[in-house]
Amino acid sequence: MKESPNLPATLQQQMNNRDQWPVLTHDMLQKSGLPGPRANLALAGSFASLCAKPDVTEDAWELITAWAQIPESEAAAGDPQEFLVFCAVWACGAHYAHGAAGRRSQAEGFLRAAMNDARWRIREAAAMGLQSIGEYDFVLLKQLLEGWRAGSTLLEQRAFVAALAHPPLLKPEPNVLYCLEVADGIMEGIGRETSRSADPEHFRVLSKGLEYSLSVFAARLPEPGFAMLRKYAESRDARLMKIVKSNLGKSRLTKKYPVEVAELLQVLTTG
């Protein structure tokens, strides 16, 4: 959907004027793309980008926090109301690097709640919010994740790898090494016996995230990336081997590193 070039200014005016909130809400719902297979990401991105600055007004922040707290009972998956939550969560990430301590604390709470949400779009909004933080300041994103990694849920771990598997974040080599470190820790956690009692649906979501993200990291930094894939190809843990096999099927690896891929596929099949 092509948006008007005047959209950002219109959105900004409506966000800052409480009297315009009903009009803004109506327009967002009408243009949400929901119900349907695709939400209006262009509109959501425009909304989030308006929050990527320090001078977000108190009125605008109140609107964002109100939308972020709309419960699933009022905004079920696929309902246009879900789009408001999606936009608000992404906006929290966009504003995080620019916000004062109080707003950062609020944003962290909304992002973490969204990571654990039953609705996949809201979980995706959390990952996109983290990406917004990392695009502005990867060190800040790293500090945030380091505070969350210990004791993180499976759904939070999925958000971590989904956020990090974002090409704009992977240009500096140290960033990629950090991503591999995070992914390795999550894979090790899966290999521990205690993980077998985890919620099956939560594990499925985490596994799906790992089944593509490892290849993103390995494509950017193949030597340590393939070393990690080999480690888990040799694990003989069926869940870890499935994750490795899925990554080895991604074109970003098969086209550039066919020899390495073939070698690891042999490891998976022969043990």
Side-chain angles (χ1 to χ4, degrees), residues 97-172:
H98 310 275
R103 287 190 182 177
R104 283 193 179 189
S105 179
Q106 284 182 292
E108 287 179 24
F110 293 134
L111 287 167
R112 202 161 191 184
M115 293 180 210
N116 291 286
D117 200 281
R119 296 161 293 183
W120 71 266
R121 280 192 182 90
I122 305 308
R123 296 197 300 266
E124 200 62 29
M128 295 167 79
L130 294 178
Q131 288 170 355
S132 294
I133 298 170
E135 286 181 10
Y136 184 82
D137 185 347
F138 190 83
V139 172
L140 183 60
L141 174 61
K142 182 178 176 181
Q143 291 171 347
L144 190 58
L145 297 188
E146 286 306 294
W148 286 344
R149 282 175 65 186
S152 56
T153 68
L154 299 185
L155 292 180
E156 289 167 356
Q157 292 169 18
R158 183 270 169 189
F160 300 165
V161 294
L164 293 171
H166 184 49
L169 303 182
L170 302 177
K171 294 176 183 178

Side-chain angles (χ1 to χ4, degrees), residues 131-226:
Q131 288 170 355
S132 294
I133 298 170
E135 286 181 10
Y136 184 82
D137 185 347
F138 190 83
V139 172
L140 183 60
L141 174 61
K142 182 178 176 181
Q143 291 171 347
L144 190 58
L145 297 188
E146 286 306 294
W148 286 344
R149 282 175 65 186
S152 56
T153 68
L154 299 185
L155 292 180
E156 289 167 356
Q157 292 169 18
R158 183 270 169 189
F160 300 165
V161 294
L164 293 171
H166 184 49
L169 303 182
L170 302 177
K171 294 176 183 178
E173 184 173 311
N175 291 9
V176 188
L177 291 172
Y178 176 71
C179 295
L180 287 167
E181 177 195 331
V182 171
D184 187 45
I186 293 171
M187 292 286 279
E188 284 188 350
I190 291 173
R192 289 193 281 271
E193 195 66 30
T194 53
S195 72
R196 297 183 184 277
S197 61
D199 183 298
E201 174 60 14
H202 291 185
F203 178 77
R204 183 193 70 79
V205 172
L206 171 59
S207 182
K208 286 294 183 183
L210 289 166
E211 285 171 24
Y212 77 88
S213 59
L214 302 189
S215 66
V216 176
F217 307 145
R220 175 63 184 84
L221 213 56
E223 186 173 345
F226 275 98

Side-chain angles (χ1 to χ4, degrees), residues 1 3 31-34 38-45 83 86-87:
M1 180 183 296
E3 302 293 354
K31 297 176 181 178
S32 67
L34 302 178
R38 292 187 181 90
N40 189 342
L41 293 182
L43 178 56
F83 186 65
F86 181 93
C87 291

Side-chain angles (χ1 to χ4, degrees), residues 65-101:
T65 57
W67 283 2
Q69 296 178 83
I70 299 173
E72 186 178 359
S73 59
E74 298 177 19
D79 187 284
Q81 291 276 348
E82 184 190 20
F83 186 65
L84 302 180
V85 187
F86 181 93
C87 291
V89 170
W90 189 356
C92 283
H95 184 59
Y96 184 82
H98 310 275

